[in-house]
């Protein structure tokens, strides 16, 4: 067998848990291969709210999960600060919510260690003019927004820099088992069709809602119950804060997350048999929007970009269903095959803790004495902060800016904050003291301010590798300010194999036009890099068709007219 197909640990699944585990093991010096049947974050991790939970949502219904989230929230906020957006999270008790829940909520927060601070409703309304005025109490929580795509990519990237082998588009087709042990894992390269085997001492199943299917391939039963969650995306940011939700038991459509230039409404919880068939419905979409209007009445006039759904990897203790199932996780040691370990349940917010628990067990089995360091080691891009010459067009200079100063400067209204978020960065997270000669402006004078800011927002200190490409500052996606240099970095360094992969890494095609304009600009770049023209054309068709399918669930009124224009453009350029 080819030595490159031998390892100590094979990780199956490239979501947050799988990439986090590969990174943890690589940091401990364990020879690791990760395989993912599609792209990193192409499953549940890349199709969730994008919220870094504080635990407040679960303090009453699911205390263990609340405690896990409360422990992990500050860790992830530190090690991945360049992809975390923290403009405040709030739970509000509206006139429609049960007031008895409040006392239970406060007591449960104390027991689980979830931090909350009561805020006067009028003070919150001054910050959030689009929030309903029908609120009786409000509480500041630690919920934040996080870019789940880059979370997975950066974990995988760091793992690869430390010796791990990350293989996307590699599907597990079965196991060769003898004497109660997995001797080899049968895989297939889904792009080339090549079939081969990988030999590993320990095989770890981190396939999320597909973990039960992987376990069945090895002859094991896993009582996993996939739970579908549907979400709806608006065309603009509704709130200045990162997250605002109802102060009530977790229910459908009770939270609005604002991230980048959009807001995401959700979610639902419905059991499904096949995670591959998790699709939103028009009824679920309408229900989420109706619930969202209770928090933000202006949503009645908003344009919605799309609706999407994914399946959660729920691990019930008995006959529980939907929201009854705990969101905590388990590391399962299988008896036969004895070298198979499954990590199931949990949330993206607790991925690092799940990976640590699994890595501790694996290292013990392999006789490796090495402690976890993922709670201290920053992800690539977050190691040091970058300077920029000013914080806004209003003339602040390149020096450290606290968040207090930022809010004093920008909390004057929705339009200023929304425009800043769409084109700039959070100075409390990204900027640091610097002398004038060290600024990005001085280093790369050919860059526009918007391009530099947006690239720094997405990649932190990795932006220097992207920005230092003269002649590559051409903007391919004007909605998200994605440059040619960023696309090339995604292809050359981050395993982007097609247009969908590029979208996950750069947000190209995720803005208002949903790829209608930027795909045309992208195609010549791919041709120049030697991609096959027929393959590119097929990828573009598939990419725009996927965008269209997500849009059809919100097709009514003025939105329908917009979609018909987009569809006509698609058909003229790419045909049926």
């Amino acid at each position: 067998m080819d030595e490159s197909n031998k390892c100590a640990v094979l990780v199956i699944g490239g979501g947050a848990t799988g990439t986090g585990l590969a990174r943890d093991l690589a940091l401990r010096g364990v020879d690791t291969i990760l395989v993912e049947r599609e792209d990193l974050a192409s499953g549940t991790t890349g199709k969730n709210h994008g919220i870094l939970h504080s635990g407040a949502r679960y303090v009453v219904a699911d205390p263990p999960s609340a405690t896990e989230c409360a422990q992990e929230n500050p860790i992830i906020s530190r090690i991945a600060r360049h992809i975390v957006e923290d403009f405040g999270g709030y739970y509000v008790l509206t006139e429609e919510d049960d007031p008895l829940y409040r006392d239970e909520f406060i007591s449960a927060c104390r027991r689980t260690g979830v931090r909350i601070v009561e805020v006067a409703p009028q003070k919150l309304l001054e910050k959030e003019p689009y929030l309903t005025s029908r609120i009786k109490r409000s509480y500041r929580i630690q919920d934040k927004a996080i870019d789940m795509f880059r979370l997975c990519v950066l974990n995988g990237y760091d793992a690869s820099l430390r010796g791990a082998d990350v293989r996307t588009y590699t599907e597990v087709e079965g196991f060769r088992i003898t004497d109660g042990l997995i001797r080899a894992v049968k895989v297939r390269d889904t792009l080339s069709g090549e079939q081969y085997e990988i030999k590993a001492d320990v095989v770890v199943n981190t396939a999320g809602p597909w973990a039960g299917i992987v376990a069945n391939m090895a002859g094991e039963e896993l009582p996993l119950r996939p739970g579908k969650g549907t979400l709806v995306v608006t065309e603009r940011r509704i709130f200045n804060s990162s997250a605002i939700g109802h102060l009530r038991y977790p229910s459908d459509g009770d939270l609005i997350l604002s991230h980048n230039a959009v807001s995401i409404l959700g979610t639902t919880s419905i059991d499904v048999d096949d995670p591959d068939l998790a699709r939103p419905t028009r009824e679920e979409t309408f229900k989420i929007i109706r619930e969202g209007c209770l928090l933000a009445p202006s949503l009645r006039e908003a344009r919605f970009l799309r609706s999407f759904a994914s399946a959660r990897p729920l691990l019930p203790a008995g006959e529980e269903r939907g929201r009854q199932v705990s969101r905590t996780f388990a590391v399962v040691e299988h008896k036969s095959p004895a070298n198979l370990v499954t990590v199931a349940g949990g949330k993206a917010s607790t991925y690092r803790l799940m990976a640590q628990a699994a890595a501790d067990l694996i290292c013990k089995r392999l006789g490796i004495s090495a402690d976890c360091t993922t709670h201290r080691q920053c992800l690539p891009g977050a190691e040091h902060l970058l300077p920029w010459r000013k914080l806004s067009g209003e003339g602040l200079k390149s020096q450290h800016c606290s968040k207090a100063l930022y809010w004093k400067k920008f909390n004057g209204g929705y339009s200023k904050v929304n425009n800043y978020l769409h084109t700039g960065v959070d100075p409390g997270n990204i900027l640091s003291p610097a002398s004038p000669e060290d600024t990005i402006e001085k280093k790369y004078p050919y860059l526009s301010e918007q391009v530099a800011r947006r690239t720094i927002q997405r990649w932190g200190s990795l932006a220097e590798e992207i920005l230092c490409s003269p002649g590559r500052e051409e903007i391919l996606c004007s909605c998200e300010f994605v440059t040619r240099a960023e696309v090339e970095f995604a292809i050359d360094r981050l395993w982007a194999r097609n247009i969908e992969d590029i979208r996950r890494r750069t947000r190209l095609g995720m803005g208002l036009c949903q790829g209608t304009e930027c795909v045309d600009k992208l195609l010549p770049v791919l041709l120049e890099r030697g991609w096959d023209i027929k393959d590119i054309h097929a990828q573009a068709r598939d990419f725009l068709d996927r965008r269209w399918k997500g849009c059809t669930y919100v097709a009514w009124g003025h939105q329908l007219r917009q979609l018909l224009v987009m569809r006509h453009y698609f058909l003229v350029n790419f045909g049926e």
Side-chain angles (χ1 to χ4, degrees), residues 18 62 89 116 137 154 179 358 387 415:
D62 189 1
I116 59 170
R137 309 294 284 265
L154 292 173
D179 299 327
S415 60

Side-chain angles (χ1 to χ4, degrees), residues 68 122 272 313 560:
E68 290 169 359
Q122 188 55 44
V272 293
L560 178 57

Side-chain angles (χ1 to χ4, degrees), residues 276-290:
D276 284 317
L277 299 179
R279 298 285 187 275
T281 66
R282 186 65 70 92
E283 293 73 21
E284 291 168 348
T285 299
F286 285 161
K287 182 176 184 181
I288 289 170
I289 293 173
R290 284 197 302 270

Side-chain angles (χ1 to χ4, degrees), residues 11 13-27 32-36 39-41 45 79-80 82-83 147-168 351 355 374 377-380 459 462 489-490 493-496 505:
V11 179
T17 306
T19 56
L21 176 58
R23 178 179 186 246
D24 191 322
L25 291 170
L27 281 165
T32 304
I33 296 176
L34 179 146
V35 295
E36 161 58 46
D39 183 29
L40 302 182
T45 301
I79 67 171
H82 57 318
I83 60 171
D147 190 313
M148 292 296 179
F149 299 121
R150 274 186 288 279
L151 178 68
C152 294
V153 169
L154 292 173
N155 269 291
Y157 180 54
D158 198 33
S160 69
L161 292 176
R162 300 173 188 277
D165 186 354
V166 177
R167 304 182 186 182
T168 57
Y351 88 91
T374 56
Q377 299 267 12
C378 287
L379 287 171
W459 299 106
L462 283 177
F489 181 77
R493 305 287 295 277
L494 303 175
W495 313 285
R505 287 150 182 75

Side-chain angles (χ1 to χ4, degrees), residues 416-570:
K416 286 184 179 180
V417 175
N418 189 57
N419 181 63
Y420 186 82
L421 289 168
H422 188 59
T423 60
V425 296
D426 172 6
N429 278 347
I430 301 300
L431 300 181
S432 64
S435 58
E437 62 273 13
D438 291 332
T439 63
I440 295 295
E441 178 193 21
K442 294 291 185 180
K443 284 186 177 182
Y444 313 115
Y446 52 83
L447 291 171
S448 73
E449 182 175 332
Q450 287 179 327
V451 167
R453 280 183 173 177
R454 197 65 167 148
T455 309
I456 293 170
Q457 181 189 23
R458 278 192 284 262
W459 299 106
S461 58
L462 283 177
E464 291 219 64
E465 296 184 42
I466 300 168
L467 296 173
C468 61
S469 303
R472 292 292 187 266
E473 66 272 15
E474 173 192 354
I475 296 176
L476 302 180
C477 176
S478 56
C479 295
E480 294 289 338
F481 291 98
V482 180
T483 63
R484 172 194 286 257
E486 193 173 352
V487 168
E488 292 179 348
F489 181 77
I491 294 170
D492 295 339
R493 305 287 295 277
L494 303 175
W495 313 285
R497 310 284 291 278
N498 54 48
I499 299 175
E500 271 291 326
D501 296 356
I502 292 170
R503 174 187 70 84
R504 294 187 189 96
R505 287 150 182 75
T506 68
R507 291 188 63 83
L508 181 142
M510 295 180 70
L512 296 180
C513 78
Q514 289 289 287
T516 305
E517 294 183 5
C518 52
V519 169
D520 267 357
K521 297 178 181 178
L522 175 65
L523 299 189
V525 176
L526 301 182
L527 280 172
E528 288 178 17
R529 298 185 67 78
W531 291 28
D532 181 74
I533 187 169
K534 291 183 179 179
D535 188 39
I536 293 173
H537 192 270
Q539 286 184 32
R541 281 173 55 98
D542 180 64
F543 178 83
L544 292 173
D545 200 42
R546 289 192 188 196
R547 296 283 95 190
W548 168 257
K549 289 177 182 177
C551 295
T552 56
Y553 298 102
V554 294
W556 63 79
H558 292 301
Q559 294 167 171
L560 178 57
R561 296 183 183 93
Q562 295 261 7
L563 294 178
L564 289 176
V565 171
M566 292 166 56
R567 188 62 175 174
H568 177 73
Y569 183 90
F570 169 74

Side-chain angles (χ1 to χ4, degrees), residues 317-337:
E319 295 301 315
E320 305 140 321
R321 291 185 174 274
R323 298 192 189 281
Q324 298 174 337
V325 182
S326 172
R327 269 47 174 176
T328 192
F329 69 93
V331 179
V332 181
E333 297 183 80
H334 296 277
K335 294 182 179 179
S336 179

